[in-house]
């Protein structure tokens, strides 16, 4: 992996985010062999007002006021920074030139706070790692002191979303073009990035499997034995990411299967016909410690992803989590899912899903679970960052040869 460097990480997700985060995982592993400054998302004026009671907002305001330290050493070699600056809320501006002018001001404020913190830490020739933030980090490669290189990390096709689309399409493409390299966590995103920077690489996805330690016990006792095979899903039930119609069709046509959906629901799922079906169980949001026992209860795991511009390039971490338990998995076919083809049943519609679930329930190959587990457990953050180091080395050597 990358070693003995000073690294500045800037992204959309703060360290105190309530959910899992690729960027946090990457920072933690990098900090084992480097010094890492993790920059929390700077507060902007609208968020400061609308989210004034959010604990994260309160902490940022305390930092700005000098009532709390801006730098915190949270682990050996790892610091977080709450920038002592307030940014302007500018995404409503429709004109590119005017937006860019204010965005440069925001970037300058953020860069000044980062430069000050990096100087206090004694950082030299830092490597800049930008996690999907093409607004607030757009000018940082030029504004941060002594940057030795810039890695743009893309893990979502954010520019497909309305909030990011207006200015994000041109800014992300331009930021990728000027980065030393682009690192993606799926083949689809790497292909997209390569249109704007030939030094774009699929470095894979790391997963944290430590939560699986509770998975060797009995099946979840809250799932009553109906005598039916259990087809299950674990994760947020969000209509923009999951195909409700597909799930309704499967449940309606196959009353002989028990469908178990573990996770919080959005309004579309709460209003769906699934709630009226006797063979569908919604558990609601469950504690993380319970999730292994729920997966153990499933005979077949599913990921009925809705294919749209936001999801088409996603690396679905839950597939690795299912496979790590050795379970048969049926998932929607996408380019990003092709790497799982030897271990997962890939399907494109309800009929293919039903046939694949039937195959999963009928499996009798006793070696399959072990092969699935081995494949999933190879997807570590250490392996992902080793791929990043190889990519960085190849770009650096190419640059040296062309000098």
């Amino acid at each position: 992996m990358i070693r003995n460097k000073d690294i500045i990480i800037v992204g959309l997700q703060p360290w105190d985010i309530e959910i899992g985060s690729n960027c946090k995982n990457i920072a933690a592993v990098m900090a084992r062999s480097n010094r890492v400054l993790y920059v929390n998302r700077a507060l902007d004026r609208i968020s400061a007002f609308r989210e004034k009671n959010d604990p994260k907002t309160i902490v940022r305001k305390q930092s700005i006021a000098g009532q709390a330290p801006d730098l915190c050493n949270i682990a050996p070699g790892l610091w977080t920074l709450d920038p002592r600056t307030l940014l302007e809320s500018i995404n409503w501006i429709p004109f590119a030139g005017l937006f860019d002018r204010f965005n440069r001001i925001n970037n300058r404020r953020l860069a000044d706070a980062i430069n000050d913190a990096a100087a206090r830490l004694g950082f030299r020739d830092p490597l800049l790692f930008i996690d999907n933030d093409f607004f607030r980090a757009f000018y940082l490669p030029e504004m941060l002191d002594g940057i030795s290189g810039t890695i743009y990390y893309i893990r979502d096709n954010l520019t497909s979303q309305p909030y990011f689309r207006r200015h994000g399409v041109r800014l992300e493409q331009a930021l990728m073009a000027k980065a030393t390299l682009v690192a993606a966590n799926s083949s689809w995103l790497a292909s997209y990035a390569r249109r704007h920077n030939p030094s774009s690489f699929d470095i894979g996805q790391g997963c944290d499997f430590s939560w699986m330690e509770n998975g060797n016990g009995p099946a979840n006792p809250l799932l009553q034995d109906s005598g039916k095979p259990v087809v299950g899903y674990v994760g947020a039930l969000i209509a923009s990411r999951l195909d409700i119609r597909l799930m309704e069709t499967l449940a309606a046509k196959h009353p002989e299967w028990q469908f178990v959906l573990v996770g919080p629901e959005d309004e579309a799922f709460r209003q769906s016909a699934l709630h009226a079906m006797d063979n569908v169980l919604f558990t609601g949001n469950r504690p993380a410690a319970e999730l292994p026992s729920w997966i153990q209860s499933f005979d077949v795991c599913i990921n009925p992803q809705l294919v749209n511009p936001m999801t088409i390039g996603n690396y679905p971490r839950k597939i690795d989590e299912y496979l790590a338990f050795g379970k048969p998995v049926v998932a929607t076919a996408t380019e990003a899912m092709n790497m799982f083809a030897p271990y997962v049943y890939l399907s494109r519609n309800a009929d293919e899903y039903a046939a694949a679930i039937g195959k999963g329930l009928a499996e009798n190959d006793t070696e399959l679970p072990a092969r699935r587990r081995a494949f999933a457990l190879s997807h570590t953050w250490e392996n992902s960052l080793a791929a990043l180091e190889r990519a960085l080395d190849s770009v650096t050597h190419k640059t040296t040869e062309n000098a």
Side-chain angles (χ1 to χ4, degrees):
M1 294 185 294
I2 297 171
R3 296 180 181 277
N4 303 320
K5 293 184 179 295
D6 291 332
I7 302 172
I8 296 172
I9 295 180
V10 180
L12 296 173
Q13 297 178 324
W15 190 265
D16 47 4
I17 194 171
E18 294 84 359
I19 61 174
S21 165
N22 276 18
C23 195
K24 285 180 60 176
N25 292 141
I26 288 170
V29 175
M30 281 182 167
R32 297 174 191 168
S33 307
N34 306 276
R35 297 198 305 165
V36 176
L37 175 61
Y38 191 101
V39 181
N40 284 329
R41 188 172 182 179
L43 196 61
D44 64 88
R45 292 189 187 278
I46 289 180
S47 298
F49 175 74
R50 291 180 178 172
E51 303 167 15
K52 59 185 177 183
N53 295 322
D54 187 308
K56 294 189 292 298
T57 301
I58 294 171
V59 170
R60 306 297 182 265
K61 286 182 176 180
Q62 290 174 339
S63 174
I64 292 172
Q67 298 168 350
D70 58 340
L71 269 177
C72 292
N73 183 203
I74 60 172
L78 178 59
W79 293 263
T80 59
L81 173 68
D82 287 324
R84 285 181 170 161
T85 187
L86 188 64
L87 304 185
E88 307 303 329
S89 303
I90 62 175
N91 201 47
W92 60 271
I93 298 175
F95 308 110
L98 187 59
F99 175 90
D100 290 348
R101 182 179 302 177
F102 280 100
N103 194 39
R104 182 179 287 275
I105 293 172
N106 278 348
N107 274 235
R108 182 73 268 171
R109 293 175 185 175
L110 182 57
D112 288 345
I114 296 172
N115 283 333
D116 176 72
R120 280 182 277 154
L121 293 173
F123 273 29
R124 294 182 179 277
D125 303 321
L127 183 65
L128 175 61
F129 185 97
I130 300 173
D131 172 37
N132 245 152
D133 192 349
F134 37 77
F135 289 158
R136 300 171 184 221
F138 182 80
Y139 297 104
L140 293 188
E142 297 84 41
M143 291 182 173
L144 293 184
D145 295 338
I147 293 298
S148 61
T150 299
I151 297 170
Y152 181 71
Y153 180 62
I154 181 170
R155 52 179 168 76
D156 274 314
N157 187 24
L158 289 182
T159 57
S160 67
Q161 301 305 293
Y163 177 83
F164 296 102
R165 188 179 300 132
R166 177 185 289 157
H167 300 294
V169 173
R170 64 185 179 85
L171 290 184
E172 182 174 54
Q173 293 175 3
L175 181 54
M176 288 192 292
K178 67 182 178 180
T180 307
L181 67 84
V182 179
N185 72 337
S186 78
S187 59
W188 190 94
L189 289 172
S191 296
Y192 161 65
R194 213 166 283 123
R195 297 178 217 159
H196 311 289
N197 186 330
S199 297
S200 298
F201 304 85
D202 176 7
I203 64 167
Q205 172 71 37
C207 293
D208 177 9
F209 296 105
S210 60
W211 61 277
M212 289 173 45
E213 294 173 0
N214 296 326
N216 295 322
N220 196 295
L222 297 179
L223 180 60
Q224 296 180 353
D225 186 5
S226 65
K228 298 179 179 180
V230 178
V231 179
Y233 170 88
V234 171
L237 296 159
I238 302 173
S240 62
R241 291 183 176 271
L242 296 180
D243 192 336
I244 293 180
R245 302 286 88 78
L246 168 65
M247 299 167 76
E248 289 175 341
T249 300
L250 285 172
K253 288 187 174 181
H254 296 279
E256 73 277 16
W257 298 336
Q258 175 72 53
F259 291 85
V260 178
L261 307 177
V262 182
E265 305 171 65
D266 68 4
E267 188 59 29
F269 266 92
R270 284 190 287 270
Q271 297 297 325
S272 73
L274 292 164
H275 278 276
M277 299 182 182
D278 293 336
N279 63 329
V280 179
L281 171 65
F282 286 86
T283 72
N285 199 16
R286 306 304 304 178
E290 280 187 16
L291 299 184
S293 65
W294 281 107
I295 297 176
Q296 287 283 54
S297 301
F298 301 159
D299 296 298
V300 172
C301 301
I302 59 172
N303 188 42
Q305 180 175 301
L306 185 68
V307 180
N308 57 37
M310 179 64 178
T311 65
I312 191 170
N314 282 5
Y315 184 111
R317 285 200 290 182
K318 71 176 70 279
I319 302 298
D320 276 323
E321 294 165 357
Y322 292 156
L323 293 176
F325 285 94
K327 294 291 182 176
V329 179
V330 182
T332 302
T334 65
E335 180 182 332
M337 281 298 302
N338 286 340
M339 63 176 287
F340 292 95
Y343 308 94
V344 173
Y345 299 102
L346 299 181
S347 305
R348 293 174 175 79
N349 53 50
D351 289 340
E352 290 186 9
Y353 255 88
I357 290 171
K359 290 179 182 178
L361 293 173
E363 284 181 359
N364 58 12
D365 185 342
T366 57
E367 295 183 1
L368 266 178
R371 291 204 296 270
R372 290 173 178 142
R373 282 192 290 268
F375 176 72
L377 294 176
S378 71
H379 298 154
T380 65
W381 284 113
E382 290 78 6
N383 286 343
S384 179
L385 290 179
L388 176 60
E389 182 182 36
R390 291 192 296 272
L392 188 59
D393 285 345
S394 69
V395 173
T396 302
H397 292 157
K398 186 181 297 184
T399 302
T400 302
E401 291 173 358
N402 294 335

